[in-house]
Amino acid sequence: MAALARWCYRHRLVVLLLWVGTVFGVGFAGSAAGTDYANTFSLPNTDSTRAYDLMEKAFPQSSGDTDTLVWKVDGEDGASVRDASVRSRIEPALKEIGAMKGVGEVTSPYTGAGGAAQISENGRIAYAQVTFVEQANAVSKELAEDIVDTAQAAERDGLQVELGGQAITRTQEPPTGTAEMVGIVAAAIVLFLAFGSLFAMLVPLVVAVAALGTGLMATSLLSHVTDVPEVAPLLGSLIGLGVGIDYALFIVTRHRKGILRGVKPEESAVTALNTSGRAVLFAGGTVCIALAGMLVMNMRFLDGVVIATSLTVLLSVLAATTLLPALLGFLGTRVLSRRQRRRLAATGPEPEHASGLAARWSSYVQRRPRSVALPALLVMLVLALPVLSIRLGATDQGNHQESTTTRQAYDLLAEGFGPGFNGPLQVVVSEGDAQGLVSRIESTEGVARVAAVPPANGVTLIQVVPTTSPQSEKTDQLIDRLRDDVIPASGTEAHVGGVTAVFKDFASVTGERLPYFIAAIISLGFLLLLVAFRSLVVPLTAALMNLIAAAASFGVLVAIFQWGWGTELLGIGKEGPITAFLPVIMLSLLFGLSMDYQVFLVSRMHEEWVHTRDNARAVRVGLAETSRVINCAALIMICVFSAFVLSGDMEGAMAGIGLAAAVALDAFILRTVLVPAAMHLLGTSNWWLPEGLEKRLPHLAVEPKEEAVASVAGSDGPASAVHGFVRDRDGEPVAGAAVSLLSNGGRQLDRVLSLADGSYIVSVPAPGMYLLAATAASYASRAGHVVVGDGPLVYDVELAEGEVDAVN
């Protein structure tokens, strides 16, 4: 890792040109090739998939997407859609739409024998079907906008015209990249507040945007050779932008600390990549592994999601480990703010130490672990309660905002033709008496209307309109009734399909396979942390915390999207069931991101434990030194994820809000409160590992020591440490005291500042006798000899005001 970082730093222009060429090359290829995203939601070996396969053979898709134009007249004066005054406005609009390039056919209620079925019983609502020559994702936004403008131009007082359908939905989408741009701007503000430097702020953004742009264009190219669903690029943007900025943030933070400690910029960059860069590699790998866990579900639809999201994460890691050191090479010390550069020049290097709010909070958690853990656990459990009522299903245009034309069209169709009209079921008959089945279905509870399409290639299609909406539990019960009772009793070979049946099957399969999926990613995460931290308790704690975080985040999701708490306030439309495939995607992302924070937090604790064998100090120092950067990274992810409410996509909004809630709870409650409190309560048990298992486990260095301590001449023993507290004569901690470890010849081996609680730790290169000196403002200096054996030495220092130590 160090060699790669040094090469990229020294050959920064070459690396930059390679990345620029890659971004523009892949971007040009992706733009030229276009996209070919798939919208198939079929599942192997399900009833809805069998129905779909039969329909595809019997009724080849010669036409494209079919959307709906709906109009309603004010019926106070007995007006009807059949009135000449209404027809004179609607028919010319339908004729003009039918003549547009890209429109294949317009089915009007005013022509043909079947037109009467397109007019409601009271005569106030009617609809026409607009069939395009291509599927919705290939219909241009300009054509859809022309159709909307033409149709709504026919409106007048007392005549309302609305449009619905997948192609029409595109007219309501915000400009491409709006969510990403808002997320980037929000992240830029957080980075500037954290770093105080324009250049330091720009570096993570440039790295993330380069990786994300390349990933999205590569995904569009892959859509031509494999099935990639339309939602995959959105989810790729969601995760890629978040981890891309965060990974760069961790490395830049370590690099800046190195320069502030007097290390040359090149050495600081190499060290940052060899420490935080290793953690980024490990974290990125765990995210990809968690994403790959979706393959356990055996849902072909999710394969494309795995490809898109994993690709953006891998490119984010690659950019952070190659492009980032090159950019740091261009900046040099300008990665620091002007104030920091002036202070460095005036006062010299400063030692790394944790102070301020982070150190005080860490000490408070150590003193009162139960007091902070219980309220935090209670909050998480309360937030998790709504998850008990979670209902998986599908969102549709009935969940759009009330102001949208698609939502208005949906509501008009439900008003005129019944709530089930927006989600008809398709019963596909391949063998047996189709007409007899029609009769049985007509007399079935929950059925509003039944119509059979003339058979083709020995297959008959029966359209069944339920009495209830597509999202109603009663519609799910009707599907079960048809499959379990009506069809078997008819003696026919038939299958129930349609969008509503497909998503019901998705929900059923997800519910059945989700426990195996959770077990798989929990087990994998446990093994990774077991190998990394040589402990059984740390990965067990992490697994439990991840489950709590997942339950609480899904509780928030249910409260907002299923119960409707704040949906209109957030501008995300009407409440409904949670999209069936979302739990799998969210759990993959959540477990991957949780692993990131766990690795960055516990790796620092583990390093301190290895040096001192003092669990309380290890947990306190680890939390004090990492909580600020973890919270900053979490705040960036929250901004990025929340911005996807603006994506115009309900699934994207669900994923964004759910992940933002998950990251907030994970970083600000779990990693900042529950995990350190639990580790204080568990004590040295945190690091317990059976001796037999220790010998069999491979060694995996997540984050090596940042710098080697200079060795003592003539000594080649193992490294150790001296640690303790600096206090005054009243026992109060002395913060900011400079504690130096010197060799017998007077050479400084290590120097640190005491933390807010007075604690310090200095590294010892080998057993032997050393001189330990402590100085602080307003106190007399104190020094004394210490003898260090094979293990760490606990040595407290007492400073007094107005005295001079005998040694000096």
Side-chain angles (χ1 to χ4, degrees):
M1 195 69 186
L4 174 65
R6 195 177 300 280
W7 190 93
C8 292
Y9 189 97
R10 293 179 176 177
H11 300 85
R12 44 190 172 270
L13 184 58
V14 174
V15 174
L16 181 62
L17 290 176
L18 285 172
W19 266 100
V20 170
T22 300
V23 172
F24 281 97
V26 175
F28 176 78
S31 300
T35 61
D36 188 23
Y37 295 124
N39 278 321
T40 174
F41 290 92
S42 61
L43 285 170
N45 302 318
T46 58
D47 197 53
S48 58
T49 298
R50 296 186 187 100
Y52 176 82
D53 292 340
L54 283 171
M55 282 186 60
E56 202 171 32
K57 292 177 182 177
F59 306 96
Q61 296 298 314
S62 57
S63 59
D65 184 61
T66 298
D67 288 19
T68 309
L69 190 155
V70 193
W71 58 97
K72 176 185 179 182
V73 295
D74 190 344
E76 292 180 0
D77 55 356
S80 167
V81 294
R82 297 183 177 90
D83 294 345
S85 60
V86 176
R87 294 184 61 168
S88 65
R89 298 187 68 85
I90 296 295
E91 285 187 309
L94 295 179
K95 185 176 180 181
E96 185 178 346
I97 291 170
M100 291 180 181
K101 185 178 180 180
V103 175
E105 182 184 11
V106 175
T107 306
S108 169
Y110 301 129
T111 59
Q118 295 174 229
I119 299 176
S120 64
E121 289 183 7
N122 61 11
R124 293 176 53 197
I125 299 174
Y127 70 90
Q129 291 185 319
V130 180
T131 302
F132 296 93
V133 296
E134 295 181 295
Q135 291 298 318
N137 59 337
V139 175
S140 69
K141 188 175 182 179
E142 292 74 18
L143 173 58
E145 288 173 343
D146 288 343
I147 291 173
V148 172
D149 293 341
T150 303
Q152 294 189 336
E155 283 188 330
R156 60 170 172 78
D157 288 342
L159 176 61
Q160 177 185 1
V161 181
E162 306 293 348
L163 298 95
Q166 293 300 316
I168 300 301
T169 301
R170 301 190 63 189
T171 65
Q172 299 166 177
E173 294 174 353
T176 303
T178 299
E180 290 87 342
M181 188 56 62
V182 171
I184 289 172
V185 170
I189 294 172
V190 175
L191 286 169
F192 186 76
L193 292 175
F195 289 147
S197 165
L198 178 64
F199 291 115
M201 175 199 77
L202 288 175
V203 167
L205 297 180
V206 171
V207 169
V209 170
L212 179 61
T214 307
L216 291 180
M217 287 296 102
T219 301
S220 70
L221 290 173
L222 285 172
S223 69
H224 292 277
V225 296
T226 187
D227 288 339
V228 178
E230 273 193 309
V231 74
L234 180 66
L235 294 170
S237 299
L238 190 75
I239 187 67
L241 196 56
V243 301
I245 295 175
D246 273 11
Y247 290 168
L249 168 68
F250 287 125
I251 295 172
V252 171
T253 299
R254 181 64 67 93
H255 174 60
R256 282 161 51 89
K257 285 182 179 179
I259 294 178
L260 287 171
R261 294 171 65 190
V263 181
K264 292 182 179 179
E266 180 179 342
E267 295 305 318
S268 177
V270 171
T271 301
L273 265 295
N274 200 36
T275 52
S276 291
R278 285 175 179 265
V280 163
L281 280 175
F282 184 83
T286 57
V287 172
C288 289
I289 291 169
L291 292 170
M294 283 190 273
L295 301 177
V296 174
M297 300 295 291
N298 193 26
M299 296 179 177
R300 287 183 55 197
F301 159 73
L302 293 175
D303 295 352
V305 175
V306 173
I307 292 171
T309 50
S310 298
L311 185 60
T312 52
V313 171
L314 288 174
L315 285 169
S316 296
V317 173
L318 182 63
T321 52
T322 56
L323 177 60
L324 180 56
L327 294 176
L328 295 178
F330 283 110
L331 291 179
T333 58
R334 285 176 296 175
V335 75
L336 301 178
S337 66
R338 290 181 180 178
R339 181 185 300 176
Q340 287 174 319
R341 295 201 297 271
R342 286 196 298 266
R343 188 168 66 242
L344 184 63
T347 63
E350 60 183 44
E352 183 181 8
H353 65 282
S355 60
L357 181 62
R360 290 194 295 273
W361 172 252
S362 184
S363 298
Y364 182 80
V365 173
Q366 179 186 357
R367 291 195 303 272
R368 299 182 176 179
R370 288 184 178 83
S371 299
V372 298
L374 289 176
L377 184 60
L378 183 62
V379 168
M380 297 296 284
L381 292 177
V382 169
L383 290 175
L385 285 176
V387 81
L388 299 175
S389 63
I390 189 170
R391 191 167 71 85
L392 302 180
T395 58
D396 55 27
Q397 294 177 10
N399 299 110
H400 291 183
Q401 295 181 55
E402 288 185 9
S403 58
T404 60
T405 187
T406 50
R407 168 70 179 277
Q408 295 290 333
Y410 185 98
D411 290 344
L412 288 178
L413 289 171
E415 179 187 343
F417 303 94
F421 185 82
N422 287 294
L425 306 177
Q426 296 172 337
V427 178
V428 185
V429 184
S430 57
E431 295 178 13
D433 181 12
Q435 195 56 46
L437 180 58
V438 170
S439 301
R440 287 178 177 271
I441 294 175
E442 284 177 331
S443 60
T444 301
E445 180 187 352
V447 173
R449 285 188 300 281
V450 181
V453 177
N457 298 323
V459 174
T460 302
L461 173 63
I462 304 172
Q463 293 277 9
V464 180
V465 177
T467 57
T468 50
S469 71
Q471 296 179 355
S472 171
E473 290 187 58
K474 291 184 177 179
T475 303
D476 288 349
Q477 293 168 5
L478 173 61
I479 294 172
D480 290 335
R481 199 175 298 124
L482 292 174
R483 288 173 172 172
D484 300 339
D485 302 326
V486 178
I487 292 174
S490 69
T492 59
E493 180 69 30
H495 306 281
V496 182
V499 174
T500 306
V502 167
F503 274 95
K504 182 186 183 303
D505 288 344
F506 249 97
S508 299
V509 172
T510 300
E512 291 171 3
R513 299 177 185 175
L514 201 57
Y516 302 102
F517 167 71
I518 293 174
I521 56 178
I522 285 283
S523 301
L524 192 56
F526 176 88
L527 291 174
L528 287 170
L529 292 179
L530 174 66
V531 173
F533 299 122
R534 328 298 294 176
S535 162
L536 279 176
V537 179
V538 166
L540 279 174
T541 305
L544 180 61
M545 295 298 175
N546 287 348
L547 288 173
I548 293 173
S553 61
F554 274 102
V556 172
L557 205 63
V558 169
I560 294 176
F561 289 92
Q562 188 174 313
W563 294 356
W565 291 4
T567 49
E568 294 296 338
L569 181 65
L570 292 171
I572 48 181
K574 185 183 176 184
E575 69 276 6
I578 305 301
T579 304
F581 57 80
L582 196 65
V584 182
I585 296 171
M586 266 194 61
L587 284 171
S588 291
L589 298 177
L590 171 60
F591 277 89
L593 297 176
S594 295
M595 191 74 73
D596 282 5
Y597 294 145
Q598 185 77 1
V599 167
F600 284 111
L601 174 67
V602 179
S603 62
R604 183 65 188 92
M605 294 178 179
H606 184 249
E607 181 182 346
E608 201 73 19
W609 165 256
V610 169
H611 287 168
T612 66
R613 295 293 163 177
D614 183 340
N615 177 76
R617 177 181 174 83
V619 176
R620 182 184 68 249
V621 172
L623 178 61
E625 294 189 2
T626 60
S627 61
R628 185 172 182 271
V629 69
I630 287 176
N631 291 339
C632 181
L635 192 57
I636 289 172
M637 280 206 178
I638 292 167
C639 292
V640 170
F641 292 158
S642 299
F644 277 79
V645 170
L646 306 174
S647 65
D649 183 273
M650 182 61 83
E651 284 77 20
M654 280 189 187
I657 292 292
L659 287 172
V663 169
L665 295 172
D666 190 280
F668 300 132
I669 296 183
L670 287 186
R671 310 301 157 191
T672 308
V673 182
L674 273 178
V675 169
M679 294 183 74
H680 277 302
L681 292 171
L682 290 168
T684 56
S685 301
N686 285 308
W687 314 105
W688 176 75
L689 185 68
E691 187 174 343
L693 187 58
E694 166 69 37
K695 294 177 180 178
R696 290 177 173 81
L697 285 179
H699 285 267
L700 176 65
V702 176
E703 190 169 355
K705 289 170 61 180
E706 186 170 340
E707 60 183 23
V709 182
S711 60
V712 177
S715 175
D716 54 3
S720 186
V722 177
H723 67 97
F725 292 88
V726 181
R727 298 188 175 93
D728 61 17
R729 288 197 162 179
D730 295 326
E732 295 297 320
V734 179
V739 182
S740 301
L741 184 74
L742 304 139
S743 68
N744 287 325
R747 181 160 58 89
Q748 181 173 295
L749 302 175
D750 196 10
R751 182 177 183 273
V752 299
L753 293 184
S754 60
L755 302 179
D757 60 353
S759 62
Y760 77 92
I761 178 171
V762 289
S763 297
V764 179
M769 181 179 289
Y770 300 90
L771 186 67
L772 187 77
T775 61
S778 304
Y779 293 91
S781 300
R782 182 170 293 275
H785 285 97
V786 292
V787 178
V788 184
D790 292 333
L793 173 68
V794 179
Y795 187 86
D796 293 337
V797 179
E798 183 181 287
L799 297 181
E801 294 183 346
E803 288 188 4
V804 178
D805 191 271
V807 177
N808 294 321

